[in-house]
Amino acid sequence: MEFESLDAPGGKELATENQDRECDMDSAQSRGLADPKFTRSERVRFPEFEIRLPFEANLFQDRVAPVRNRLADLGVHLEEATGACVVRVASLMHPRIGRNDLQLVADIFGFFFACDDRFDGPLGWDKAATAETVEVSKQVFAGYVPDQASDPFNYALMHLWEQIRQRASAELWERIVTHTLGWLDHYRWETGLRVDRRVATVTEQRRERFWASEMSFDWEYIELTDAAFLPRRFIRHPTIQQTLTDCTLIVAWWNDICSLARENPYSNVVYAIQQDRSCGLQDAIDSAYRLVLDLCDNVLAQQARLPALLGELQLDPRETARATAWWDSLLLSTGGALRWHVEPETRRYCQDRRQDLPTLVSP
């Protein structure tokens, strides 16, 4: 696979430097300003965001129905700006699937965004309410049939995931459910950090962010649409599992850097690094960015070793083709997520390279 650029095929893509848009100091970050730990600000410069993994767009992107309207039919509200760009992230993260599969993943991504926005509000500052909300949602996978009028979020969850269940093997469905339950549980962790005004440690970040990210679900969706019937000994191999963890952290921490002015500071890896190292915010941003680039390099190094791994597992030609297709889609999905965050059209994130942001005050 070759690296892609917006301007020309091949080469490494560099995000545009200055976009004329205001930063959105979101409510979660604004509440962080009331915390004595965040009473000072620091002028920082964001990196140029070099995308080291390949990416491409799905040819069916313009043929997908508006996700905001489809979720509204299920009773779920999606912000207008988010609805306008959710198809794009689905297209970049799943560039080689058909239109119907792209429509479903776009709908699911829209649902993920709606859930995140829901917990970014007052719900995400109430431990008891978060715990109750999470437990009710988890019951969808234990036989609970929600009513659309009184419980639209869980009705949408049931409706969307049922479309996956009908197509997935029993083993794949079990993994999808496990990761979905883990994703739901992560809201407890994030709410706990907010309420306690506690910044997570870097060690905690490495442990929790696999679940506190929709990416763990997305890797299974690749398996469902791009490379069905993967050999279990391949997907469960420690090298592959580590690569999945690395790709998850790549996207999660890239998101943390891009959304530093917008989202929960207590679960953000940049502030985790600043806290652990007692450094300035600029140093923490630079360190987080280097972590992401190092993980990208790790994944690319594993790609060079992939033929040896496939030989070690003694896969037959058909299994080898499926495993190779899955790997290609994994890298494209990860690179596509990175690309989406820094596109000028992505309206969830501020694109200004220089910003004044809250910085942790040393105790």
Side-chain angles (χ1 to χ4, degrees), residues 8 83 119 145 156 176 181 190 193 201 208 260 281 312 350 355:
F119 282 94
V145 180
I176 289 173
L181 296 179
E190 289 196 343
L193 293 175
T201 65
E208 297 290 341
L260 194 59
L281 184 60
E312 172 191 329
C350 178
Q355 301 178 35

Side-chain angles (χ1 to χ4, degrees), residues 14-27:
L14 295 178
T16 54
E17 182 162 322
N18 290 307
Q19 301 297 328
D20 296 328
R21 283 211 308 269
E22 294 183 357
C23 294
D24 175 19
M25 291 297 288
D26 196 69
S27 57

Side-chain angles (χ1 to χ4, degrees), residues 161-218:
W161 265 248
E162 175 61 18
Q163 296 177 65
I164 295 173
R165 188 195 65 79
Q166 292 176 2
R167 296 172 51 189
S169 67
E171 191 270 339
L172 178 57
W173 175 245
E174 181 180 354
R175 279 190 279 130
I176 289 173
V177 170
T178 297
H179 286 149
T180 303
L181 296 179
W183 163 69
L184 289 167
D185 273 331
H186 97 270
Y187 287 115
R188 296 173 184 262
W189 175 63
E190 289 196 343
T191 295
L193 293 175
R194 284 193 191 96
V195 174
D196 296 340
R197 304 282 189 177
R198 182 177 71 83
V199 176
T201 65
V202 174
T203 300
E204 193 176 1
Q205 279 272 340
R206 290 186 178 275
R207 183 180 67 246
E208 297 290 341
R209 287 306 287 274
F210 184 83
W211 301 107
S213 167
E214 296 84 357
M215 301 308 301
S216 57
F217 165 84
D218 194 65

Side-chain angles (χ1 to χ4, degrees), residues 347-362:
R347 300 175 185 176
R348 284 179 69 91
Y349 308 107
C350 178
Q351 303 289 333
D352 292 339
R353 288 287 306 284
R354 286 187 172 88
Q355 301 178 35
D356 290 300
L357 295 177
T359 185
L360 277 170
V361 176
S362 300

Side-chain angles (χ1 to χ4, degrees), residues 313-350:
L313 294 173
Q314 297 183 331
L315 302 184
D316 64 33
R318 180 177 296 181
E319 291 173 329
T320 297
R322 289 170 179 165
T324 302
W326 177 87
W327 181 273
D328 290 348
S329 293
L330 175 67
L331 265 60
L332 284 170
S333 188
T334 307
L338 303 186
R339 171 68 190 123
W340 177 76
H341 278 83
V342 297
E343 282 189 328
E345 296 81 10
T346 301
R347 300 175 185 176
R348 284 179 69 91
Y349 308 107
C350 178

